[in-house]
Structure formats: structure tokens, C-alpha cells
Amino acid sequence: MEAYSTVRTGTYPERLAAAAGLTLALVLLRLPFRHTVHATRLATQAGRRPLDPARAEALVGAVRHTARWWPGRVACMETSLGTVLAAALLGRRLTWCIGARFSPPPVEYHAWAELPDHGPVAEYTVAGWHYLTGMTIPGRRARIHQPPQAVVAYECPTPRRSEQ
């Protein structure tokens, strides 16, 4: 699906939730990021029921369709957060993920909405999914994913002048 969808998807309540979710996302992303994370965590706790994949894709499409009316920037961060907030307004549960792709060489940062058991929602790539998740905000608490610890080579201590 393209970044700015021209196809109206979802039911009327889903489209209203998409407009409200995108508006909330645009406001929250103007605040310091810790406030955005806290508000998103509270909103995702409201979502009790899981969302089926077809409805989740329709909700992402509705948020992207709503984004056409915003005169400013609406990219992956705004769209994914708007989708998660719209799902919370409908009483449904999605996970907000932020991550990066390191290879091939230009590092690319990305944010997406994810279903707990099905993976990224409405994120189609021909080559597959090559993003590493840096942070997820599920219904309970934010998890920051730590990269594996690097192996540090042991260095021999240098002798002091008094020992020479």
C-alpha cells in the first residue's frame, strides 16, 4: 500500500477513529518523546481485544487516507502511532514499534504498527522484512531492545614506570 492511500477503507467508526488517532499522534509527537511513550502506553492498555489482520490493514489504510488532508509531514512515525491510537479508541490492541535497518548500507529508521502474533501490519516489501526492532510499546510496558553485547578483547595491562 502506498504512503498516502487514495482508497477509502474501513467502516465509518474506523475512519472516525483514524482521524482522531492521527490528530492525537500529531499532537503527541510535538511533545517530548517520553511523554509520547507514556501516553501511548496508557492508550494501548485500553485495547483489550485483539484486532484481526484484515481490520488492522483497513485501519492503517484509513489513517493513510486521512493523512492526505494534513498539510504537513505525515510519515511512518505519524502513521504508525495514529494507527495504534485509532485501534485503542476502538478498544482494540496493536503494538507500536520503532526500529532501523542497517544493511544494505544507508541506515534507515522506521516505525510501524504490529499485531502481537502476526508481525507488521500493511508493511509490504518484496525482499522481506529487514528491520531490527529498537523499541516496542505493547499494552503493558515499553521494552527497549538491547543489542547483543560486543565481545571485548582482553588487553594486557601496561607496566608502570616503577615496575620497569
Side-chain angles (χ1 to χ4, degrees), residues 146-154:
Q146 299 293 331
Q149 297 294 325
V151 177
V152 179
Y154 178 75

Side-chain angles (χ1 to χ4, degrees), residues 34 36-46 137-142:
R34 64 189 159 134
T36 304
V37 169
H38 183 69
T40 306
R41 187 181 314 134
L42 289 175
T44 55
Q45 288 176 354
I137 302 176
R140 296 286 177 229
R141 60 181 187 168

Side-chain angles (χ1 to χ4, degrees), residues 33-84:
F33 193 67
R34 64 189 159 134
H35 298 303
T36 304
V37 169
H38 183 69
T40 306
R41 187 181 314 134
L42 289 175
T44 55
Q45 288 176 354
R48 300 284 180 218
R49 296 173 290 166
L51 191 61
D52 63 292
R55 291 287 89 205
E57 288 199 22
L59 198 56
V60 171
V63 170
R64 288 179 177 163
H65 183 75
T66 305
R68 293 177 52 212
W69 297 102
W70 180 250
R73 174 188 183 268
V74 178
C76 60
M77 182 79 81
E78 293 83 2
T79 303
S80 61
L81 181 57
T83 304
V84 170

